[in-house]
Amino acid sequence: MAINGSFRGLRGKKLSLAIAAICSALLIWTWEETTLLINSLPPPNSFEMLPSPVILRSPMHHLKHEEKQQYEHGYTDTNSIDVILTEQIDPTAGIQSVISEISTSLITKKVDESSVNMPIEKKGCKYEKGKWVADMRRPLYSGFECKQWLSDMWACRLMQREDFSYESYRWQPFDCEIPEFDGSEFLRRMRGKTIALVGDSLGRQQFQSLICMITGGKHFVLVEDVGIEYGLVKAPGAVRPDGWAYRFSETGTTILYYWSATLCELERLNRSDPATNYAMHLDRPVPFLTNFIHRFDVLVLNTGHHWNRGKMRANRWEMFVGGKPNADRKLSEIGNAKNLTIRCVVKWADLQISQNPELKVFFRTISPRHFLNGDWNSGGSCNNTKPLLRGSEVLQEGSMDAVVESAVKGSKVKLLDITALSGLRDEGHIARDSLTAAKGVQDCLHWCLPGVPDTWNEILCAQL
């Protein structure tokens, strides 16, 4: 009896231990399955959260300067900004797999919502916002050596000017770098393509600047004059042709310029009368564009400085709309007329891009004038020769040329915004060294070359 009783007691103890072991296992399993829920609740008398998988945004003052810039401009480095903290969680295998799943879910959700943790391109560079910085590697070509392409009236090295510090500056955008211009590399990239600049004399300056930048100012024997292909030949009695076109034989790259002060069609009202007036068709692009757009790969447009009453009278231009003389008094105002033409040209160019997606069209904003104490014909001057007295930075949002900015908005035509950055460079004009300075007329509109228009081309090339 004693032995049987002892046996039963022992068996009872074993059974109790087994039951206790099973209960403990169940409790442990339950604890593992509910740990995340428990961890999500605040402990008694505390609002402090227990350790859980979280995503922390590093404070700005902990970031390096480069990282701050990336953060401010919409780019996130997942190695330095987003940190998944799981090291304080119990490293039990089962719970770790749950944490892994939740962390993956959080990251996936974050990617889906903002693509923060994926390699992404930086937002488009705002080339118009930045600063002028001294750069002794400038200029990009020599005014002495670019005689083949550069007009004497814009080559300030060939004039009486003695201070050339304006040549040694480059434009530095705040949120990106402008690639260093290389003429040979540019021609390689533009192999077989045609780049057309159409606009007023500031467009011609940009054209000559680009040719000089490509050649380095030196004589290129493998450049062919192909102006005749575009009707760019000097007419009898004309001072110069309406434009020029040059083809770099090695790559087949063509650079051309066509003079059009207003970008709209000008039509002689009486073809037999040399002194006839011209119909200025505000709603029609200049025929050169419509005739040759199919041959262009890149088109740069500009207008602005001929939209004034003095030019209208001197050139005998009469406003036409819809093929008839304009009868709208509001449209007779110069600003409204210019606005209409720019919008019509942009709308037409936008349609051309839709039909040929490979075509790239830019509308350059107006180049600033710096006349003081009068205008070009009333004693105005711009005698400053010290760079950056007006400041060195452009911080504003939006273009100073609101007409062009508004016209291209919503279209596929790109804005080449050079107005504000050029406005800081009043010392870069030809000024009293112009050919007309002896007559008391300073040129505070056109620029010395090499000079500011080289920057316009650097920004253009960066956007191609």
Side-chain angles (χ1 to χ4, degrees), residues 257-369:
Y257 162 76
Y258 179 79
W259 183 86
S260 177
T262 62
L263 297 181
C264 63
E265 179 180 349
L266 298 173
E267 180 185 20
R268 295 171 65 93
L269 292 176
N270 185 341
R271 295 185 178 278
S272 61
D273 180 8
T276 186
N277 287 0
Y278 290 80
M280 182 183 186
H281 295 283
L282 300 178
D283 52 351
R284 297 183 191 173
V286 60
F288 181 82
L289 287 174
T290 57
N291 291 340
F292 295 105
I293 187 66
H294 64 283
R295 298 187 60 176
F296 301 157
D297 298 281
V298 179
L299 173 61
V300 183
L301 303 165
N302 91 281
T303 188
H305 290 294
H306 285 256
W307 292 89
N308 59 72
R309 288 295 173 191
K311 293 289 186 181
M312 296 277 290
R313 288 192 295 268
N315 292 306
R316 304 188 300 278
W317 293 339
E318 296 181 15
M319 294 184 186
F320 273 58
V321 178
K324 300 177 182 179
N326 174 49
D328 187 336
R329 293 184 65 180
K330 272 193 171 183
L331 197 55
S332 295
E333 297 177 14
I334 297 295
N336 293 335
K338 181 181 78 169
N339 197 348
L340 173 64
T341 292
I342 290 175
R343 288 184 178 278
C344 287
V345 170
V346 167
K347 185 177 180 180
W348 172 83
D350 193 44
L351 178 61
Q352 307 308 308
I353 299 172
S354 297
Q355 296 173 353
N356 177 18
E358 297 300 314
L359 173 65
K360 291 180 172 59
V361 180
F362 297 83
F363 209 117
R364 179 174 61 71
T365 59
I366 195 167
S367 173
R369 297 151 36 103

Side-chain angles (χ1 to χ4, degrees), residues 130-135 165-166 168-171 384-394 420-428 452:
K131 60 183 178 181
W132 289 102
V133 296
D135 189 340
S165 57
Y166 66 90
S168 302
Y169 285 85
R170 65 176 173 83
W171 181 249
N384 174 45
T385 58
K386 294 181 180 180
L388 308 180
L389 288 184
R390 293 171 174 263
S392 62
E393 297 184 344
V394 174
L421 63 90
S422 302
L424 299 175
R425 300 300 307 279
D426 62 313
E427 90 289 1
V452 173

Side-chain angles (χ1 to χ4, degrees), residues 153 156 159 430-439 441-444:
M153 60 183 176
C156 291
M159 301 178 187
I430 298 168
R432 55 190 170 193
D433 295 305
S434 66
L435 298 178
T436 57
K439 301 178 182 179
V441 178
Q442 289 199 18
D443 188 346
C444 303

